[in-house]
Amino acid sequence: MEQLEAMGRAAKEAAAALARLSGAQKSRLLEAVADELLAMQEAIVAANTNDMEKARQQGLPAAMLDRLLLSPERLSGVVADVRKVAGLPDPVGQVLDGRLLPNGMRIERRRVPLGVIGVIYEARPNVTVDVASLCLKTGNAAILRGGKETLLTNLVLASAIRTALARCGLPEDCVQLVESTDRALVSGLLRLSRYVDMIIPRGGSGLQKHCMEEATIPVIVGGIGVCHIYLDESADEDKALPIIENAKVQRPTVCNSVETLLVHENRARAFLPKLSSFLARHGVVLHGCPKVMEILQPLGNAGYCPVVPWRDEELSREWLTVDLNVGVVAGIDAAIGHIHRYGSGHTEAILTANMQQAEYFVQEVDSSALFVNTSTRFTDGGEFGLGAEVAISTQKLHARGPMGLEALTTYKWIGRGDHLIR
Amino acid sequence: MEQLEAMGRAAKEAAAALARLSGAQKSRLLEAVADELLAMQEAIVAANTNDMEKARQQGLPAAMLDRLLLSPERLSGVVADVRKVAGLPDPVGQVLDGRLLPNGMRIERRRVPLGVIGVIYEARPNVTVDVASLCLKTGNAAILRGGKETLLTNLVLASAIRTALARCGLPEDCVQLVESTDRALVSGLLRLSRYVDMIIPRGGSGLQKHCMEEATIPVIVGGIGVCHIYLDESADEDKALPIIENAKVQRPTVCNSVETLLVHENRARAFLPKLSSFLARHGVVLHGCPKVMEILQPLGNAGYCPVVPWRDEELSREWLTVDLNVGVVAGIDAAIGHIHRYGSGHTEAILTANMQQAEYFVQEVDSSALFVNTSTRFTDGGEFGLGAEVAISTQKLHARGPMGLEALTTYKWIGRGDHLIR
């Protein structure tokens, strides 16, 4: 814990140096980080090869191994992203609002960095660079705690970033990596409220929950998407099918893919067989409510998706596969009830031709993103034009939905008066 | 705990009804609350008399008794505040920003209520009404847990508010009071993350810390003000004195009064005797660093404030009295160092004639409000023109400094497309 205290103190001091930088200085810093990563490419790839070798020996599944891999191609992608972030506008220093008060005080709210951000993440080593570059861009110091599977890779990546910091005359401790994989250090980091201003967990629901439970620091919970599409009575069938297909199969492993389709009862009998036939070529497995089973089971498997009864406990989980829950609902209120009961507050969409129903849906559903006749896959910082994505928040405080650079800032009030008293 | 679960569920349902109200409906609701409070004035005052009687029997000090008191005059003040909140503009529904994306999606961020807000507070019964009216104005349901000393008063106040809700055709459970003073219920409320979106603790640092430690829900920490004034080398002495006086004595019991004055060493010998003489009539006691002792102690007490050596552990606490720490510093960086070491991040002021020093101070000091030649007492929602004050946040996430109605809202992203896929 003493080690963490020391890291916290160093981060806080380093953050003050970062907060002073101009936008141009921060862009130059990120270009230096990109250069240094390229210069150290050999060492990075070698370290990653070691990590991969160990992981293989431990018998990690292929999907997991793929997440650990940082090939030269992937590294160029990471470096390109750093240069992209370098080119984004600097949010810090912006005056959010201000006015001249009746007593003569000039009051303004100025956007400032948060200070120190703690990031706890799992396998992918690119997160080390992504997060560090977003923090530096916004003038924040970062304390990073990556997964043990990529420790060697992360050590070299962090060392490259710290070299770039030193080259730019900044404290290396602007970016620090927790070098031990001791789990107690995670708990310690979550309670380092004296030095750390925000915790971002990047990982599965177990990690998110652990952070929520343990932290005395604000935690940005997010990234868990139990997303729904509601097919309203008035939906256009032919246009609905490609949206459902896109939301389910284009990239089923991400948080904004759809888990559950809810169909208005007056459309079920005609629509469900078409849907099953449309999705069959993707290997989709349907998990149906009793009504869906009644309609689809008699059709058999030839040219249709396999269909099994849905299970209550599966309705509030991410599939991350081409499985899809399908339910028949009596109408929009039943659909909204289902969403509030099982959803994670991430993204929901309505397919409808009826304007009132669309507005009712986006008004009543309490999720971070609501779409009308649009695939759930669009909940994404890049798609929303935010320039960069820090995380997708499914909580309501500070930031909701895709978080851009601004989500890594706060503001201070500044008042100037000619010797004003109250 | 089952009782809390039931309250949480009821609050969540009630919140959905509140979220649907128009601004005009919410204003009418608050007027109805004001009317009901007046109609029940006798019962409220009688309950308060009982609370006061019990508190007197328990030997509570006079200052505490004063905080419990809800006289007819104070109640009219509370009712007038409810009507004032009724008249404020409704922040909900505002479109924060939006654009037409290249793919044709119309995306917007719409301001929405947070949902359910838990408020944990201590003695003053007016908080029950203040908080309930701010929550209702912003379309949020509230779960209130007041101090045991005013339970009888709070019960009648809550019942008046619930009667008004029912009269307006809304669920009474939009506002619920935890009727037991069992402390375990506070811990339970802090972990009711399934239903409660935000916790506001209104009380001393013990309560704040307890909430931070225990909560799995975002907590708005605030209200603890260890505020500083730095008198720079170039400050105008005659204009500085009334500001320091105002910051210390105008209302010493509130969070934005000053605890510590830091004086540039080149000004100490001439300024400190003047200060001591200026403040003497208010009964101020100075707590000086060794240098201050050296300058002021020889002057004696006649016409001057008493002065005692300052103690390290008193530099990070609120006095809430007319005591004032005074230190001599080598310059602005030493002053900033002191502030970051001992301050609570609430409010700090610089007194200076030097523009560079002023800008350096507001840039470098990491507090929610920074003032130039202005009393610290101005950190206040009313003074800042926010219309109402929910709390003063000393944390950096979601809201910082005085929190207006907007701090009780969040946003949702709404995207509309003509059957868009990714």
Side-chain angles (χ1 to χ4, degrees), chain A residues 233-346:
Chain A
E233 196 172 5
S234 66
D236 181 317
E237 261 176 28
D238 293 335
K239 291 177 173 171
L241 289 170
I243 291 182
I244 299 164
E245 174 191 44
N246 180 262
K248 183 69 259 180
V249 310
Q250 195 233 354
R251 207 170 162 199
T253 58
V254 294
C255 60
N256 56 21
S257 65
V258 70
E259 312 306 337
T260 300
L261 171 72
L262 301 166
V263 178
H264 190 287
E265 59 180 3
N266 293 350
R267 300 297 295 276
R269 203 157 285 279
F271 180 71
L272 289 173
K274 283 190 198 167
L275 174 79
S276 182
S277 144
F278 195 79
L279 295 179
R281 65 195 156 115
H282 299 293
V284 170
V285 177
L286 302 178
H287 299 251
C289 73
K291 195 77 171 266
V292 169
M293 294 305 294
E294 189 195 309
I295 297 171
L296 291 185
Q297 214 168 17
L299 302 180
N301 276 0
Y304 292 103
C305 299
V307 55
V308 296
W310 76 9
R311 296 191 342 196
D312 196 70
E313 66 273 25
E314 287 171 346
L315 296 177
S316 51
R317 285 210 300 254
E318 287 184 294
W319 280 117
L320 307 173
T321 55
V322 291
D323 291 73
L324 178 67
N325 305 310
V326 185
V328 173
V329 289
I332 194 164
D333 284 315
I336 293 170
H338 181 105
I339 290 168
H340 284 164
R341 178 157 177 206
Y342 296 105
S344 63
H346 191 297

Side-chain angles (χ1 to χ4, degrees), chain B residues 30 127-137 140 142 144 161 175:
Chain B
L30 288 184
V127 173
T128 306
V129 181
D130 286 356
V131 162
S133 68
L134 293 168
C135 286
L136 294 176
K137 178 73 188 185
N140 292 290
L144 309 175
I161 296 166
V175 175

Side-chain angles (χ1 to χ4, degrees), chain A residues 20 191 213 246 364 422, chain B residues 20 191 246 364 422:
Chain A
R20 274 177 217 125
R191 304 183 79 83
E213 295 276 333
N246 180 262
E364 292 286 315
R422 196 170 157 186
Chain B
R20 273 176 217 126
R191 305 183 77 83
N246 179 261
E364 292 285 317
R422 196 170 157 187

